Amino acid sequence: MKSRAYVSSVGLVPVGDHWEKSIVDLAVEAARGALKGSGKRKPDQIIVGNMFSAVGAKQEQLGALVASALGLAGTPAYKVEAACSSGGTAFNVAYNLVRSGAIDSALVIGVEKMRDLEPEEISGALAMAESAEYTQFVGASFAALNGLLARYYMEQLNVTRDELSAIPVIDHANAVTAAHAQFRKAITPEVVGRSAMIADPLRLFDCAPVGDGAAAALIVNDSAASGSKRRMAEVLGGRVATNEFSIFEREDMLDFKSSREAFKGAMSQAGLVQKRLSLIEIHDAFSVVGALSLEAMGFSKRGQGSKDAKAGKYARGGELPINTFGGLKARGHPVGGTGMYQIAEAYLQLTDQAGKNQVEGAEYAATQNIGGVDTTSAVHVFGRAA
Amino acid sequence: MAIQYWRRRDRYYRLVGSRCKDCGDEFFPPVYKCKGCGSEHVADKEMPRTGRIVTYTQLHEPLPGFEAQAPLYLAVVKLDNGARVLTQIVDSPDDSVRTGAKVEATVRRMRVDGESGQIIYGYKFVVRS
């Protein structure tokens, strides 16, 4: 029996350097936030989205570990991994289970502990999202692949340095008033264009930072939602899609097929047309990835993603606000946690709990979470609960 | 972990990829199924050793094991048969590493593996004027 699905509450740990907290501390803190006020009712399942706990914390079996720490041993619990899209993909599993009628509720937690690693170890861990045999083998980091993509994008479609800087600038502007954001400071395009070179032409401020974090949400069906006084957001659609694994294998590197397909699927499930969206949280792990995502999902024409951002289309007062709490660049990108931050942020917007970051009258919101360079995408669409 | 790379020695030393017996398309890395026509009749084939740079980057923050090589050039190279390879570009003046530049495969030391110090070799490309 198909059921409607709702996000009934969320929990967020501010993204940053949590030297004093372990991966379990982070997951429990976010989970408690999402479970607060749910009384004696326990979630039917616990699903943890995480990318590299084996490397970052020498820890696997996160599902049972977190369930036990929460005093919920006995509950079915497991981890879902899809690189940086682990959070969004974990949520998609929960959504499909609730929607199908298999379960009434699930607690979904996205978590990553990055800071226990040295900088080069973090590069090594992130590179595991890409081919061990043909990408890591030749010494190509994740940033290097995005550098290759950025140069191709700029040369093929005549995109300038200043235009590429527009999405990071929007992220930082939105993060200034976001309590859980890692970098709450506005920047200019000049700051981006003068920052240290990482993988030419990508500079430090084109790239999402490293940070620890966890975000969680409780997803429930009609029966679990009934009688609750909580403010809820309805999950209207959700889809995961994949692309050819590596960018160099693809006929057209600039076509983000997995984002396109996941967005199309989620929107069609929701029965919504693009222009109904009040905001979207996009996966801009690198400036170029944000631009290509907006193009793939049809908000900008080919080659226009960064140009439209520069013209103001995606700013908070613009036609379609993106990354309303700072996106990956400024809210931060604790990789396996990111997808759940996006979902928590969409929930805050649709329940009027976004404070100074509130998009007035927000009715519908979407989240787009990518693993690899558009290799896996998880897109969800939410609406204000009736 | 060196066995993980030894297993692929034909690919790393001789650029052995795949040729589809049905449509003739060629691929590197090798494929289990033709990306052109979907056929599973694919066989090993050595790739041509020359091609052109499609896009490139200079990486300043290397992966573990590659520190001594930084900053290093990486490129997507389209080989003369249309197959695309991700590779380092080495032994080439900075101003020669450009989109469209003609390059040729060579075998170089990739890195030294683990505490046993086993040297791992593989393909890198050089710009040919």
Side-chain angles (χ1 to χ4, degrees), chain A residues 12-81:
Chain A
L12 288 166
V13 178
V15 182
D17 300 339
H18 290 290
W19 304 114
E20 302 285 347
K21 290 175 187 168
S22 74
I23 190 166
V24 189
D25 294 339
L26 293 166
V28 166
E29 187 175 327
R32 278 184 178 155
L35 291 171
K36 207 158 117 188
S38 61
K40 289 211 171 78
R41 184 157 194 145
K42 290 172 183 166
D44 287 348
Q45 287 204 7
I46 297 171
I47 306 178
V48 182
N50 169 265
M51 176 178 171
F52 57 65
S53 63
V55 177
K58 291 190 167 50
Q59 184 67 60
E60 283 296 14
Q61 213 176 167
L62 276 187
L65 182 65
V66 172
S68 180
L70 289 167
L72 295 171
T75 310
Y78 50 93
K79 160 172 161 172
V80 168
E81 187 277 321

Side-chain angles (χ1 to χ4, degrees), chain A residues 87-385:
Chain A
T89 305
F91 186 82
N92 192 253
V93 172
Y95 170 55
N96 285 330
L97 286 169
V98 168
R99 191 168 158 269
S100 71
I103 60 173
D104 290 341
S105 65
L107 171 66
V108 188
I109 307 162
V111 62
E112 205 75 58
K113 184 73 192 168
M114 304 180 77
R115 274 300 187 195
D116 287 2
L117 298 174
E118 300 293 330
E120 65 275 13
E121 291 176 321
I122 295 171
S123 293
L126 292 170
M128 293 190 306
E130 299 290 337
S131 169
E133 295 183 343
Y134 302 101
T135 298
Q136 298 175 45
F137 178 76
V138 303
S141 68
F142 195 55
L145 292 177
N146 285 281
L148 293 166
L149 187 68
R151 179 179 308 282
Y152 195 65
Y153 181 58
M154 294 170 84
E155 286 187 355
Q156 297 294 314
L157 301 176
N158 300 312
V159 175
T160 66
R161 172 64 262 180
D162 234 31
E163 288 162 352
L164 200 63
S165 303
I167 292 175
V169 168
I170 291 173
D171 279 5
H172 274 262
N174 291 347
V176 171
T177 48
H180 63 272
Q182 186 171 8
F183 292 113
R184 300 177 58 183
K185 189 168 181 259
I187 56 167
T188 60
E190 292 69 38
V191 168
V192 185
R194 279 199 313 261
S195 58
M197 196 63 91
I198 302 294
D200 176 31
L202 291 180
R203 293 172 178 273
L204 184 65
F205 276 68
D206 286 299
C207 312
V210 167
D212 303 327
L218 196 59
I219 177 168
V220 299
N221 67 4
D222 283 309
S223 72
S226 68
S228 170
K229 291 202 171 60
R230 287 175 158 179
R231 288 186 278 185
M232 301 200 185
E234 185 169 0
V235 195
L236 299 171
R239 184 70 59 87
V240 173
T242 58
N243 196 344
E244 292 275 335
F245 194 74
S246 300
I247 56 164
F248 57 91
E249 295 177 289
R250 299 175 192 165
E251 211 50 61
D252 179 1
M253 276 192 278
L254 301 178
D255 182 7
F256 271 21
K257 279 186 191 168
S258 84
S259 292
R260 181 152 49 84
E261 289 307 315
F263 181 74
K264 216 197 291 178
M267 289 292 278
S268 122
Q269 202 170 38
L272 281 183
V273 290
Q274 260 185 37
K275 63 177 181 200
R276 301 290 301 280
L277 288 177
S278 315
L279 64 113
I280 182 166
E281 297 297 325
I282 64 164
H283 189 95
D284 58 336
F286 297 88
S287 52
V288 63
V289 171
L292 288 171
S293 295
L294 290 164
E295 294 173 22
M297 293 186 285
F299 299 109
S300 284
K301 294 203 173 81
R302 189 172 166 95
Q304 300 295 310
S306 287
K307 294 180 201 291
D308 287 347
K310 186 164 186 258
K313 179 172 177 179
Y314 301 118
R316 216 188 298 172
E319 194 180 308
L320 178 73
I322 61 166
N323 298 351
T324 60
F325 291 85
L328 276 64
K329 175 66 194 79
R331 172 241 293 125
H333 181 31
V335 288
T338 294
M340 288 308 299
Y341 276 93
Q342 296 176 319
I343 286 164
E345 289 162 352
Y347 167 86
L348 294 176
Q349 289 288 359
L350 295 172
T351 54
D352 298 323
Q353 301 180 71
K356 287 181 177 162
N357 293 60
Q358 186 65 46
V359 172
E360 288 308 322
E363 284 292 330
Y364 299 101
T367 58
Q368 173 233 11
N369 185 203
I370 297 180
V373 189
D374 189 61
T375 308
T376 305
S377 295
V379 173
H380 291 90
V381 179
F382 304 85
R384 206 169 263 270

